[in-house]
């Protein structure tokens, strides 16, 4: 596979993917923020914390996609792994979450709650996905797809041949039945023609 054939998702697609992940992590972060507010006295209503949390998630997910993009293109892998690929977006999400929530409400305690919830969710995702481990190269992915395709063709070859044979037989049977009907109609017309004379 040459460089011209390798197509990575566009930056817009990467941002959309990150925001979709954020939609999944958002309710978990909201629950975490609520649990944190049970133990820490926050000088703000929870609904305002929720608004700050949504803003922080949107901004940090967009920033994460923008930061990852050059690393992905440089290493020519959808998941290049490594310290920079993991550490830079994670750190940016923490900083952006704190700054965005503080700019919105000017409350250190509420910003700390939002930042903690975002950091815990992102850390859990990072550990679960093991993002520091490099993923397969496009060539390795293509080889896996080719191997799977070949295995599937081999596994289902008998079934495909049976289906084709059955289809041929049905087509042949339909042809002969139609031919017999046409001949019967022709004979009937011939017989009707003789009777009318």
């Amino acid at each position: 596979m040459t460089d011209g054939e390798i197509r990575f998702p566009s930056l817009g697609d990467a941002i959309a993917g990150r925001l979709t992940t954020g939609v999944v992590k958002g309710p978990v972060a909201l629950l975490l923020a609520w649990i944190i507010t049970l133990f820490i006295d926050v000088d703000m209503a929870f609904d305002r914390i929720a608004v700050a949390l949504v803003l922080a998630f949107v901004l940090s997910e967009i920033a994460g996609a923008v930061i990852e993009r050059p690393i992905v293109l440089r290493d020519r892998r959808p998941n290049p792994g490594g310290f920079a690929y993991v550490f830079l977006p994670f750190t940016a999400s923490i900083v952006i979450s704190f700054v965005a929530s503080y700019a919105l409400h000017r409350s250190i305690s509420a910003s700390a709650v939002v930042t903690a919830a975002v950091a815990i969710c992102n850390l859990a995702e990072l550990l679960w996905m093991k993002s520091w481990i490099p993923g397969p190269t496009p060539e390795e992915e293509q080889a896996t797809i080719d191997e799977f395709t070949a295995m599937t063709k081999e596994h289902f070859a008998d079934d495909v041949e049976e289906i084709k044979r059955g289809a041929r037989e049905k087509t042949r049977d339909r042809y002969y039945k139609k031919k017999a009907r046409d001949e019967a109609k022709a004979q009937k017309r011939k017989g009707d023609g003789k009777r009318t004379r």
Side-chain angles (χ1 to χ4, degrees):
M1 191 175 276
T2 63
D3 283 344
E5 294 173 335
I6 298 171
R7 291 194 182 101
F8 293 105
S10 67
L11 180 59
D13 292 339
I15 290 172
R18 291 288 299 242
L19 289 175
T20 303
T21 305
V23 167
V24 174
K25 292 188 296 186
V28 176
L30 199 59
L31 179 64
L32 282 170
W34 178 72
I35 291 170
I36 292 168
T37 58
L38 294 177
F39 297 102
I40 297 173
D41 189 29
V42 180
D43 57 349
M44 186 176 294
F46 186 73
D47 60 338
R48 295 185 72 196
I49 291 174
V51 170
L53 189 62
V54 169
L55 176 67
F57 251 114
V58 168
L59 293 177
S60 66
E61 294 299 325
I62 291 171
V66 170
I67 291 169
E68 288 174 354
R69 184 73 177 166
I71 301 168
V72 166
L73 293 177
R74 181 194 70 207
D75 292 354
R76 295 180 56 243
R77 288 176 186 242
N79 178 19
F83 182 74
Y85 181 74
V86 172
F87 182 73
L88 292 176
F90 180 72
T91 305
S93 72
I94 292 172
V95 171
I96 289 170
S97 297
F98 186 82
V99 170
S101 57
Y102 185 77
L104 191 63
H105 298 305
R106 305 270 187 236
S107 168
I108 295 284
S109 60
S111 298
V113 168
V114 168
T115 304
V118 170
I120 291 169
C121 281
N122 286 342
L123 183 62
E125 178 193 18
L126 189 147
L127 294 174
W128 183 39
M129 300 297 290
K130 298 180 182 174
S131 302
W132 62 90
I133 300 171
T137 64
E139 292 83 6
E140 292 168 341
E141 286 180 348
Q142 189 60 47
T144 303
I145 291 169
D146 292 344
E147 182 182 326
F148 178 75
T149 303
M151 181 190 70
T152 303
K153 280 183 181 176
E154 181 183 323
H155 182 74
F156 291 107
D158 294 339
D159 296 333
V160 169
E161 189 53 43
E162 179 66 29
I163 290 168
K164 284 181 181 178
R165 190 173 54 72
R168 282 192 299 266
E169 287 175 2
K170 282 183 182 177
T171 303
R172 188 179 58 236
D173 290 346
R174 276 195 301 254
Y175 170 76
Y176 285 125
K177 283 180 183 176
K178 184 178 183 304
K179 187 176 177 183
R181 279 194 308 267
D182 291 346
E183 287 175 357
K185 285 180 186 176
Q187 286 290 56
K188 185 177 180 186
R189 272 183 267 160
K190 224 184 217 182
D192 290 344
K194 285 179 183 176
R195 271 187 244 134
T196 54
R197 289 182 194 167

